[in-house]
Amino acid sequence: PRPDGQDRYTISEVAAFTGLTAHTLRWYERIGLMPHVDRSHTGQRRFSNRDLDWLSFVTKLRLTGMPVAHMVRYAELIREGDHTFEERQELLEATRRDVRTRIAELQETLAVLDYKID
């Protein structure tokens, strides 16, 4: 949970909030998944609530099995503007199809396990 009224977080605070490591957060920035992280006057990263919301979404995309390259492409498309809506939508729809397929496979696997346990 985030502190109320706060909108600037250190990398260690963000790691604690998200469960991501500082190394992963730096890597996300390096590959363009988190390209506009603000810096303090001393050069330390300062993440915003908007950054935390984005990281929450990225974490969900990772859980879907979306390749990192596709996540980076999605982030690039957002930065390019509204005219990329259709391509972004297609990326998400393809991911949704993949998730539904995996869910069906897992349900079949669960049925086999249930049968064996019974």
Side-chain angles (χ1 to χ4, degrees):
R2 305 178 208 171
D4 288 336
Q6 187 174 336
D7 191 30
R8 290 288 174 246
Y9 308 94
T10 65
I11 198 165
S12 59
E13 289 172 322
V14 172
F17 297 151
T18 63
L20 299 168
T21 65
H23 174 78
T24 297
L25 293 166
R26 288 184 197 100
W27 180 62
Y28 280 0
E29 186 177 8
R30 198 167 45 254
I31 65 172
L33 203 48
M34 292 284 311
H36 295 104
V37 177
D38 288 339
R39 302 287 178 139
S40 70
H41 66 283
T42 60
Q44 292 180 315
R45 289 169 181 84
R46 290 289 183 247
F47 294 84
S48 67
N49 286 322
R50 187 174 179 183
D51 293 330
L52 292 181
D53 292 341
W54 173 251
L55 285 169
S56 176
F57 178 64
V58 166
T59 300
K60 297 289 189 252
L61 291 179
R62 278 304 288 149
L63 287 173
T64 71
M66 179 186 266
V68 173
H70 292 182
M71 294 182 343
V72 170
R73 178 65 184 143
Y74 186 85
E76 289 169 350
L77 291 169
I78 288 174
R79 287 190 297 276
E80 288 176 22
D82 290 342
H83 70 279
T84 65
F85 176 82
E86 287 181 15
E87 191 174 348
R88 285 182 280 148
Q89 185 173 16
E90 177 49 39
L91 269 172
L92 294 179
E93 287 175 353
T95 299
R96 179 175 58 191
R97 286 190 298 273
D98 292 345
V99 167
R100 286 183 171 157
T101 299
R102 285 198 2 255
I103 287 171
E105 291 168 349
L106 287 171
Q107 287 174 328
E108 291 173 13
T109 302
L110 183 59
V112 169
L113 289 173
D114 288 343
Y115 173 78
K116 287 296 194 180
I117 290 168
D118 290 343

